[in-house]
Amino acid sequence: MRNPYFGRLLTAMVTPFYEDGVNLAAAGELAEWLLAHGSDGLVVEGSTGEAAALTKEEKVAILKEVVNKVRGRAKVVVGAGTNVTAETIYLVKTLEPYRPDGFLIVGPYYNKPTQEGYYQHFAAVAQSTKLPIIVYNVPGRTGSNILPATVARLAKDFKNIVAIKEAAGNVAQVAELYQLLPRDFTIYSGDDGLILPFMSVGATGLISVLGNINGKILQNLMQAYENGKVEDARELNAKMQPLAKAMFMESNPIPIKYAVTKVTGIDVGKPRLPLTPLSKEFCKKMDDILREYKMI
């Protein structure tokens, strides 16, 4: 099994919307743009893709559009996690015929399961498909943390659980994951701003928000570190940090959707309620930082 499993930089793609539906043409166009600007692969219908605001039919349509557009040139991972195990399995089985390369499965949110509950949830999902699975640990959205020992147990028991998107923001937790997991198991950082410290303790890739507008700086940073050019990686990290931070001036994906339209010229529309468009004061701040980085 190769590491990183799906590629070094996976961009968590925003979902383009019309006022009354999904803009599939823009989704295909954005997928092309991302592959031309640093992304090794794409994650559709994740948190940044507003998965929680999409219908089942929309999820199928988006996946079909992106897979057909990419045509095997890169890996396409689809988010299929919910807070109900049976519903997650149903969504996996619904999306599987449309040829994703794998699934991103978030830890059940709201329920706050025990570690045994997490294990049983992911075990049931893994047994429902032969496709590879990325465990998505994001306590800030789910309310509880999937511990490294639980991830290691899952990796040992299920060959199709191949990676984790670790977004707990804890370098020590990544170090513990690396200690407990097989060396071919991929640890993806779930935070752009933490990719360098995470790589220093065992992460080998990134599932990115910033990749929607500037994948190349992230690729260059990671490649520099991998090639032993640590000082170059530090400098690129210092350059990247203000831009990455700006993508969270309001709740994700509000700022990145605004930035994508500005930078790429592809109109991805507004976020869906209950998310609202970027406020006017932050629009000006975003414009200023994008100009500072010569991106608009």
Side-chain angles (χ1 to χ4, degrees), residues 139-209:
R141 286 186 181 268
T142 65
S144 56
N145 187 30
I146 308 172
L147 295 179
T150 303
V151 180
R153 185 181 169 198
L154 287 164
K156 178 176 181 291
D157 292 348
F158 301 98
K159 297 303 180 187
N160 61 334
I161 296 182
V162 300
I164 182 168
K165 178 184 177 183
E166 180 50 69
N170 186 332
V171 176
Q173 183 154 300
V174 176
E176 187 176 354
L177 284 165
Y178 183 76
Q179 176 191 356
L180 296 176
L181 289 164
R183 289 295 174 262
D184 59 356
F185 191 96
T186 302
I187 302 171
Y188 286 107
S189 172
D191 296 290
D192 294 311
L194 291 174
I195 182 55
L196 185 56
F198 276 20
M199 288 187 82
S200 74
V201 294
T204 55
L206 171 65
I207 297 178
S208 173
V209 173

Side-chain angles (χ1 to χ4, degrees), residues 54-72:
L54 296 171
T55 67
K56 180 192 73 175
E57 292 76 17
E58 287 173 333
K59 290 178 179 181
V60 167
I62 294 162
L63 179 61
K64 284 174 65 177
E65 176 67 26
V66 173
V67 167
N68 289 338
K69 195 72 172 180
V70 170
R71 299 189 308 278

